[in-house]
Amino acid sequence: MRNVLVAGALLLSAAACSKSSDPAPAAATPNTLYVRLGSVNGVSKVVDSFLANVIAETQTSNTSLKRTFNPLLTSNNAQRVTLLRDNLIDQIGQATGGPLVYKGLTMTAAHKGMAITTQEFGVFGVAFTKALTDNGVKDPEKTELLTIITSLQSQVVGQ
Ligand code: HEM
């Protein structure tokens, strides 16, 4: 009886070994940048911090962003700020691989007539980078997202 059991065990282990001819298991899919940013909650927190940073910057004595953002920040334009917030969340959500879909204007159309300068773009970038840092976004994700933002510079500046 014992021999039968041993033979059976040997057969089973041989069958297990034959598994080595099976295809290698698929490598784990790395999480998208969207997921690594914390999905919709993480992206929303970054956008909220960013808009707070922009507003704070417009209140400094040597502000660079007041010229362009003032129309949004005066005369009860909360709805417009909310729309910009939602658009930014969707835009970042889409660009980082999430299921969110951006439904706003193209970057050239959105910034047409604003004549945004490279200097203003830089200050906008500082406000965005601070939002990433303040929300604990780690360096690799920070670099990836800033690369996406920077790649849009030519569509934003000088329109
Ligand atoms: C790559 C960088 C930027 C991105 C991704 C971005 C994204 C956006 C988006 C998604 C909108 C809304 C579009 C829509 O209404 O359909 C918008 C509008 C706007 N952006 Fe930008 N933007 C960038 C750079 C800048 C810079 C550098 C400034 C100013 C210094 C700026 C100022 C504005 C203003 C004032 C609006 C208009 C909002 C309104 O009129 O309601 N943006 N931007």
Side-chain angles (χ1 to χ4, degrees), residues 77-143:
N77 260 339
Q79 256 185 325
R80 215 160 136 187
V81 176
T82 304
L83 184 64
L84 178 61
R85 171 190 187 268
D86 292 346
N87 271 326
L88 284 171
I89 293 168
D90 285 344
Q91 188 187 27
I92 294 169
Q94 178 174 314
T96 54
L100 303 186
V101 177
Y102 175 61
K103 303 167 222 71
L105 298 169
T106 62
M107 285 298 91
T108 31
H111 302 96
K112 190 123 250 120
M114 290 188 201
I116 291 169
T117 65
T118 306
Q119 189 270 341
E120 286 166 341
F121 190 89
V123 175
F124 178 100
V126 170
F128 196 81
T129 307
K130 185 176 185 312
L132 294 173
T133 307
D134 290 348
N135 284 283
V137 175
K138 300 279 179 287
D139 281 347
E141 285 74 29
K142 211 188 267 187
T143 306

Side-chain angles (χ1 to χ4, degrees), residues 17-126:
C17 282
S18 77
K19 288 261 179 225
S20 64
S21 63
D22 288 351
T29 314
N31 280 333
T32 60
L33 177 56
Y34 175 74
V35 169
R36 285 179 280 129
L37 288 169
S39 302
V40 70
N41 279 346
V43 172
S44 302
K45 281 181 187 162
V46 168
V47 168
D48 285 339
S49 299
F50 164 68
L51 289 173
N53 292 343
V54 167
I55 291 167
E57 200 281 346
T58 64
Q59 288 158 1
T60 58
S61 55
N62 57 345
T63 173
S64 297
L65 301 180
K66 190 168 183 172
R67 181 184 76 81
T68 44
F69 280 95
N70 219 28
L72 266 81
L73 305 175
T74 52
S75 59
N76 268 346
N77 260 339
Q79 256 185 325
R80 215 160 136 187
V81 176
T82 304
L83 184 64
L84 178 61
R85 171 190 187 268
D86 292 346
N87 271 326
L88 284 171
I89 293 168
D90 285 344
Q91 188 187 27
I92 294 169
Q94 178 174 314
T96 54
L100 303 186
V101 177
Y102 175 61
K103 303 167 222 71
L105 298 169
T106 62
M107 285 298 91
T108 31
H111 302 96
K112 190 123 250 120
M114 290 188 201
I116 291 169
T117 65
T118 306
Q119 189 270 341
E120 286 166 341
F121 190 89
V123 175
F124 178 100
V126 170

